[in-house]
């Protein structure tokens, strides 16, 4: 990491003060349904985004009221602004799956700019399998799905235990990025 990649607190304080002043002048008196706070937050995040600094320099936590994160206006606004977000799932945590990250609700808009095409393809396939399985989970558990009707769902069902193993990590387990990439490519068949 070089000195240009480090955002020191002096710059951050200056930017925050600058944004507060700019936000007050830019939005004062205009009709808006969003609170001024969200405008300021959005502008701060936009200014901190990778377009401005070319590095990830902010990790923000937004606590959603309840489990339905898709209808919360604060969460929805933050999702629209951020370069990426990780959504934690209470359902996964209750199943003992840690980290309890909801893969299909989480996203990185910068992924395609920073990883190779094989990893992008592998992650898209994994998301598709997780989505297919979860959409049809009740039907599968009741025995109402007949294999052969959907090849993607058939594949997802076949490797589901391996998908769950891949997504879980023990507290003392270390896993580096290249190892995870290799495991993902082998899991979905993009080796």
């Amino acid at each position: 990491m070089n000195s240009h990649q480090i955002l020191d607190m002096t710059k951050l304080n200056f930017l925050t003060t600058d944004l507060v002043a700019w936000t007050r002048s830019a939005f004062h008196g205009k009709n808006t349904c969003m609170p001024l706070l969200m405008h300021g937050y959005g502008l701060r995040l936009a200014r901190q985004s990778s377009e401005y600094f070319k590095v990830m320099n902010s990790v923000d936590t937004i606590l959603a009221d309840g489990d339905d994160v898709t209808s919360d206006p604060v969460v929805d606004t933050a999702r629209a602004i951020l370069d990426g977000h990780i959504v934690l799932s209470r359902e996964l945590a209750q199943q003992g799956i840690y980290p309890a990250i909801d893969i299909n609700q989480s996203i990185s808009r910068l992924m395609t700019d920073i990883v190779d095409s094989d990893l992008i393809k592998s992650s898209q396939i994994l998301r598709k399998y997780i989505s297919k399985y979860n959409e049809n989970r009740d039907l599968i558990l009741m025995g109402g799905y007949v294999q052969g009707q959907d090849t993607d769902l058939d594949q997802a069902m076949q490797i589901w235990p391996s998908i769950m193993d891949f997504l879980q990590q023990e507290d003392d387990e270390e896993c580096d990025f290249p190892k995870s990439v290799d495991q993902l490519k082998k899991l979905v068949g993009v080796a």
Side-chain angles (χ1 to χ4, degrees):
M1 188 180 282
N2 63 40
S3 61
H4 297 294
Q5 292 176 317
I6 299 173
L7 175 65
D8 64 26
M9 290 310 293
T10 307
K11 290 180 185 175
L12 184 60
N13 287 337
F14 172 75
L15 288 174
T16 305
T17 305
D18 181 41
L19 284 170
V20 168
W22 186 84
T23 303
R24 286 181 182 155
S25 64
F27 293 101
H28 183 67
K30 292 191 176 183
N31 287 334
T32 178
C33 61
M34 293 299 294
L36 183 60
L37 172 67
M38 278 312 295
H39 285 292
Y41 182 72
L43 293 169
R44 180 177 67 83
L45 288 176
R47 192 124 174 224
Q48 285 181 348
S49 74
S50 62
E51 285 296 314
Y52 189 75
F53 289 108
K54 303 294 185 205
V55 294
M56 184 178 88
N57 53 42
S58 173
V59 177
D60 296 283
T61 303
I62 299 171
L63 180 61
D65 185 25
D67 288 335
D68 186 11
V69 296
T70 57
S71 64
D72 187 317
V74 174
V75 174
D76 194 41
T77 301
R79 280 180 155 184
I81 296 168
L82 297 170
D83 289 329
H85 51 268
I86 297 172
V87 176
L88 300 179
S89 166
R90 181 172 303 188
E91 180 182 341
L92 292 173
Q94 289 171 343
Q95 294 175 28
I97 299 170
Y98 297 103
I101 298 172
D102 186 331
I103 298 296
N104 286 339
Q105 291 289 325
S106 305
I107 193 165
S108 169
R109 291 188 182 104
L110 300 178
M111 182 178 173
T112 56
D113 295 337
I114 58 175
V115 299
D116 65 42
S117 59
D118 283 345
L119 181 53
I120 294 168
K121 183 177 179 183
S122 298
S123 66
Q124 289 171 339
I125 292 170
L126 179 67
R127 286 176 179 272
K128 176 175 63 173
Y129 289 162
I130 292 171
S131 179
K132 285 281 187 178
Y133 187 88
N134 286 333
E135 287 172 4
N136 294 284
R137 184 172 181 217
D138 291 339
L139 188 62
I140 294 166
L141 293 175
M142 291 187 311
Y145 176 73
V146 178
Q147 287 198 345
Q149 296 176 345
D150 184 333
T151 55
D152 289 332
L153 181 55
D154 293 343
Q155 183 65 20
M157 289 172 56
Q158 181 180 346
I159 65 171
W160 189 252
S162 298
I163 289 173
M164 296 312 296
D165 287 342
F166 175 74
L167 295 178
Q168 295 181 57
Q169 184 175 356
E170 298 298 324
D171 288 342
D172 59 347
E173 180 183 357
E174 291 184 22
C175 189
D176 61 3
F177 186 71
K179 180 181 173 184
S180 295
V181 171
D182 288 341
Q183 289 174 339
L184 174 60
K185 288 179 181 179
K186 287 176 186 171
L187 176 65
V188 298
V190 183

